Amino acid sequence: VQLQASGGGLVQAGGSLRLSCRAPRSITSVFNSYIIAWYRQPPGKELESVASITFDGRTNFSDSVKGRFTISRDNSKKTVYLQMNSLKSEDTSVYYCNTDPPSKNWGQGTLVTVSS
């Protein structure tokens, strides 16, 4: 499974961005069975899961983003969103979406740069 992340960009600290994660046509029939998560790997740091969502909307967040990020999914559009508010410089990273647990096929990710 290789999901496609998009929506990254350059934003000032305190700003917002919304990332999108779209499922390829090859898995649209089973997309709803997957838990989808957003991951990031800041420069020089390990990969971490920041948010996840089940088919029926149950969510989970890392402590580092709790209260600032929200995750949602539109199963009809086979898309998961990550709304990022009150962004901080330490949120700068490439963001990936993948299943949870992650498949071995990672997409290219989308770069989020937060300037202070």
Side-chain angles (χ1 to χ4, degrees):
V1 175
Q2 187 172 79
L3 304 175
Q4 299 301 318
S6 62
L10 174 63
V11 63
Q12 289 187 333
S16 299
L17 277 177
R18 189 177 80 156
L19 306 183
S20 297
C21 172
R22 181 162 294 179
R25 290 185 177 183
S26 60
I27 69 159
T28 53
S29 62
V30 296
F31 175 78
N32 293 352
S33 66
Y34 291 111
I35 298 172
I36 305 298
W38 284 95
Y39 302 83
R40 69 184 183 187
Q41 186 167 22
K45 297 186 178 181
E46 294 186 353
L47 186 72
E48 66 169 331
S49 171
V50 297
S52 64
I53 187 167
T54 63
F55 164 73
D56 56 355
R58 287 171 288 147
T59 60
N60 193 44
F61 299 92
S62 68
D63 288 342
S64 60
V65 307
K66 197 172 294 183
R68 300 187 297 120
F69 291 11
T70 58
I71 187 171
S72 60
R73 68 191 289 167
D74 185 335
N75 289 325
S76 67
K77 295 182 178 179
K78 312 305 180 187
T79 302
V80 171
Y81 304 97
L82 183 69
Q83 178 67 43
M84 306 185 296
N85 300 326
S86 302
L87 283 162
K88 305 175 181 179
S89 57
E90 52 261 45
D91 294 318
T92 294
S93 182
V94 178
Y95 285 72
Y96 304 89
C97 58
N98 204 329
T99 55
D100 182 9
S103 75
K104 62 180 180 179
N105 297 315
W106 293 86
Q108 289 186 341
T110 186
L111 176 63
V112 173
T113 303
V114 183
S115 63
S116 56

